[in-house]
Amino acid sequence: MYTPVMTADEVDALIARVYPQIWVDGGRSFAIEAIGPGPARLRMAYAERHLRPGGTISGPSMMALADLAMWVVVLGHVGPLELSVTTNLTINFLRKPAQVDLLADARLLKLGKRLAVGDVTLRSAGAEAAVAHATCTYAIPSS
Amino acid sequence: MYTPVMTADEVDALIARVYPQIWVDGGRSFAIEAIGPGPARLRMAYAERHLRPGGTISGPSMMALADLAMWVVVLGHVGPLELSVTTNLTINFLRKPAQVDLLADARLLKLGKRLAVGDVTLRSAGAEAAVAHATCTYAIPSS
Amino acid sequence: MYTPVMTADEVDALIARVYPQIWVDGGRSFAIEAIGPGPARLRMAYAERHLRPGGTISGPSMMALADLAMWVVVLGHVGPLELSVTTNLTINFLRKPAQVDLLADARLLKLGKRLAVGDVTLRSAGAEAAVAHATCTYAIPSS
Amino acid sequence: MYTPVMTADEVDALIARVYPQIWVDGGRSFAIEAIGPGPARLRMAYAERHLRPGGTISGPSMMALADLAMWVVVLGHVGPLELSVTTNLTINFLRKPAQVDLLADARLLKLGKRLAVGDVTLRSAGAEAAVAHATCTYAIPSS
């Protein structure tokens, strides 16, 4: 529905520059696999520090991935407006993730001038069923 | 409305035992200041790794704090059922946090046998206005 | 992913029997067009009493449609457990609906024994872009 | 925290003028009991058409009340900008309401120039425990 204005590599380079804390954390946990058209895809590497009691990936790790995936799809479509900020995020945790990488598919539902709304589906690599589903709103600064 | 069955120290010790990843991360970022009756209070120390572009505390750090605060208030009221898991979290980001510690006040709205629902208000230490507000549902395992 | 256990006509008859208030309100505003497999579809007839200032379909009418669509897809998949109740609903309003019928496509993300989670996309009849998107959790009573 | 700029009577008159569908529906189901400072309070009269299977007040009736209460508190604080629209609403249903009037206490968490965020607590008249809790964002048009 919407056409990106940046490539995955350009968004990756932008985030590495403006937000090194997240991008190189523990050796680059996150990779952008696609930016659109269609859903953007991120991959979060399976790592012990993402775990919670019971051995599964923690809720906060999944929320961070969902929020980052939405940020990536927004940046990819509005350009380098890195001060875009989340105003609302809702997440439902559906199933216990497997002990493998986690994939996030982020989709824009509405790209307005001031607000972007989308949803993000999280799946364990190699599986069909969603482990979590988030909806997210970003406020876009005036360019 | 509800009466805790564990003290702040007991919940602290439980989490240190079952979830060391979060509790000692970077030198113990989180402290339980109160467990109830009334709202439970957590404090997240201000630290550079919680920041996002623009110099403010990142959304994922605030979501992690809100989720943890809700977990603490649930554990404090149901006892050591550490496999309680978040099923739903909604957060609204309201204001730019100051460059100081962040306080989370978590309140139980409903403590059922299987589900606990509450809300969490995040404020910068020393300030009145909320920087974020979350509602959160936890599923409680059969004891 | 999930297979219905009731037909659209059977769910329609069930609701007409247990919930006549909604089904025959103002002359039957809602129709079930599909029950699955795949998304269930409901249609809400355009009617003046659904309008709000500015001439568009009101938020509460869209929320009622989303909630009903989720109830229909849950009933269609668990059978006549009409005491299934919503525990959580989140809706994002995306665009001004046109002055035509509204379609709701409801999809199950997770059908557990006690909780069902899904999302609902609302579109104006004949249009592609979503006017609203909801996620919804139902608690299913023991059968 | 915020000071109203309209009285309860003025908001009531405004809504009666711009949104007669809701206000006089079935003989005026809703009354504004307070507008602030502090939470605004609405009362929804107990009426058979608000019921769902099991004899309790329906989810859509509670969502309509929460959304209206938020609209009232927004209008009371920004003045007659009746084209303010909901962008996001999240509701948790907590307990079965009693067969009496329902009260809604709406509180502004943030009143910005373009967005207002608040929460609404619903209680059965005469009871302490919440039956539902909603958070809600309104977009405010340029005046």
Side-chain angles (χ1 to χ4, degrees):
Chain A
M1 195 161 68
Y2 297 109
T3 307
V5 298
M6 296 177 77
T7 66
D9 283 351
E10 287 167 347
V11 175
D12 186 90
L14 171 67
I15 296 180
R17 183 167 56 80
V18 300
Y19 198 3
Q21 292 96 328
I22 194 169
W23 217 238
V24 302
D25 171 40
R28 209 162 179 76
S29 293
F30 301 96
I32 304 176
E33 301 204 334
I35 198 82
R41 169 165 285 190
L42 263 74
R43 176 183 291 263
M44 182 173 78
Y46 182 73
E48 198 187 342
R49 87 200 125 81
H50 292 142
L51 303 187
R52 60 154 280 144
T56 66
I57 295 172
S58 73
S61 295
M62 288 191 267
M63 293 191 284
L65 176 59
D67 185 54
L68 179 60
M70 185 66 192
W71 195 43
V72 163
V73 76
V74 169
L75 292 177
H77 286 79
V78 302
L81 300 172
E82 68 266 15
L83 295 182
S84 300
V85 291
T86 315
T87 59
N88 174 270
L89 185 144
T90 294
I91 188 163
N92 284 286
F93 298 98
L94 303 168
R95 295 175 181 85
K96 202 169 154 164
Q99 300 190 356
V100 298
D101 290 359
L102 207 54
L103 302 176
D105 288 321
R107 179 174 63 136
L108 283 175
L109 294 166
K110 166 77 182 289
L111 180 58
K113 277 176 199 163
R114 308 193 312 192
L115 292 178
V117 184
D119 70 355
V120 184
T121 304
L122 303 185
R123 293 184 181 84
S124 294
E128 269 298 306
V131 299
H133 177 271
T135 54
C136 192
T137 302
Y138 264 74
I140 303 167
S142 308
S143 55
Chain B
M1 195 160 74
Y2 296 110
T3 307
V5 299
M6 296 178 77
T7 66
D9 283 351
E10 287 166 348
V11 175
D12 186 90
L14 171 65
I15 295 179
R17 182 166 59 79
V18 301
Y19 198 3
Q21 292 95 330
I22 195 170
W23 218 238
V24 302
D25 171 40
R28 209 163 180 74
S29 293
F30 300 97
I32 305 176
E33 301 205 334
I35 199 82
R41 170 166 285 191
L42 263 73
R43 176 184 291 263
M44 182 174 79
Y46 182 72
E48 199 189 342
R49 86 200 124 81
H50 292 143
L51 303 188
R52 61 154 279 146
T56 67
I57 296 172
S58 73
S61 295
M62 288 191 267
M63 293 191 283
L65 175 60
D67 186 53
L68 178 61
M70 184 66 191
W71 196 42
V72 163
V73 76
V74 169
L75 292 177
H77 286 80
V78 302
L81 299 172
E82 69 266 16
L83 295 183
S84 300
V85 291
T86 315
T87 59
N88 174 271
L89 185 144
T90 294
I91 189 163
N92 284 286
F93 297 97
L94 304 168
R95 294 175 181 84
K96 204 171 155 162
Q99 299 191 356
V100 298
D101 291 358
L102 207 55
L103 303 176
D105 288 321
R107 179 174 64 136
L108 283 174
L109 293 166
K110 166 76 183 291
L111 180 59
K113 277 175 198 162
R114 309 193 311 192
L115 292 178
V117 184
D119 70 355
V120 183
T121 304
L122 303 185
R123 292 184 182 83
S124 293
E128 269 299 305
V131 300
H133 177 272
T135 56
C136 191
T137 302
Y138 264 75
I140 302 167
S142 308
S143 54
Chain C
M1 194 161 71
Y2 297 110
T3 307
V5 299
M6 296 178 77
T7 65
D9 283 351
E10 287 167 347
V11 175
D12 186 88
L14 171 66
I15 296 178
R17 183 167 56 81
V18 301
Y19 198 3
Q21 291 95 331
I22 194 169
W23 219 236
V24 302
D25 172 39
R28 210 165 179 75
S29 293
F30 301 97
I32 305 176
E33 302 205 334
I35 199 81
R41 170 166 286 190
L42 262 72
R43 176 184 292 264
M44 183 173 78
Y46 182 72
E48 198 188 344
R49 86 200 124 81
H50 292 143
L51 303 187
R52 60 154 280 145
T56 67
I57 295 171
S58 73
S61 295
M62 288 191 266
M63 292 191 283
L65 175 60
D67 185 54
L68 178 60
M70 184 67 190
W71 195 43
V72 164
V73 77
V74 168
L75 292 177
H77 286 79
V78 302
L81 300 171
E82 69 267 15
L83 296 182
S84 300
V85 291
T86 314
T87 60
N88 175 271
L89 186 144
T90 294
I91 189 163
N92 283 286
F93 297 98
L94 304 168
R95 294 174 181 85
K96 203 170 155 164
Q99 300 190 357
V100 298
D101 291 358
L102 207 54
L103 303 176
D105 288 320
R107 179 176 64 137
L108 283 173
L109 293 167
K110 165 77 182 290
L111 180 59
K113 277 175 198 163
R114 309 193 311 192
L115 292 178
V117 183
D119 70 355
V120 184
T121 304
L122 303 186
R123 292 184 182 84
S124 293
E128 270 298 304
V131 300
H133 177 272
T135 56
C136 191
T137 302
Y138 264 75
I140 303 167
S142 309
S143 56
Chain D
M1 195 161 71
Y2 295 109
T3 306
V5 298
M6 296 177 77
T7 66
D9 283 351
E10 287 167 347
V11 175
D12 186 89
L14 171 66
I15 296 179
R17 183 166 57 80
V18 299
Y19 198 2
Q21 291 95 330
I22 194 169
W23 218 238
V24 302
D25 172 39
R28 209 162 178 76
S29 293
F30 301 96
I32 304 175
E33 301 204 335
I35 198 84
R41 170 166 283 191
L42 262 73
R43 175 183 292 263
M44 182 174 79
Y46 182 73
E48 199 188 343
R49 85 200 125 82
H50 292 142
L51 303 187
R52 59 155 282 147
T56 67
I57 295 171
S58 73
S61 295
M62 289 191 266
M63 293 191 284
L65 175 59
D67 185 53
L68 178 60
M70 185 66 191
W71 195 42
V72 163
V73 76
V74 169
L75 292 178
H77 286 79
V78 302
L81 300 172
E82 69 267 15
L83 295 182
S84 300
V85 292
T86 314
T87 59
N88 174 271
L89 184 144
T90 294
I91 188 163
N92 284 286
F93 297 98
L94 303 168
R95 294 174 180 84
K96 203 170 154 162
Q99 300 191 355
V100 298
D101 290 359
L102 206 54
L103 302 176
D105 288 320
R107 180 175 63 137
L108 283 174
L109 294 166
K110 166 77 182 288
L111 180 59
K113 275 176 202 163
R114 309 193 311 192
L115 293 177
V117 184
D119 70 355
V120 183
T121 304
L122 303 185
R123 292 183 181 84
S124 294
E128 269 298 305
V131 300
H133 177 272
T135 55
C136 191
T137 302
Y138 264 74
I140 303 168
S142 308
S143 53

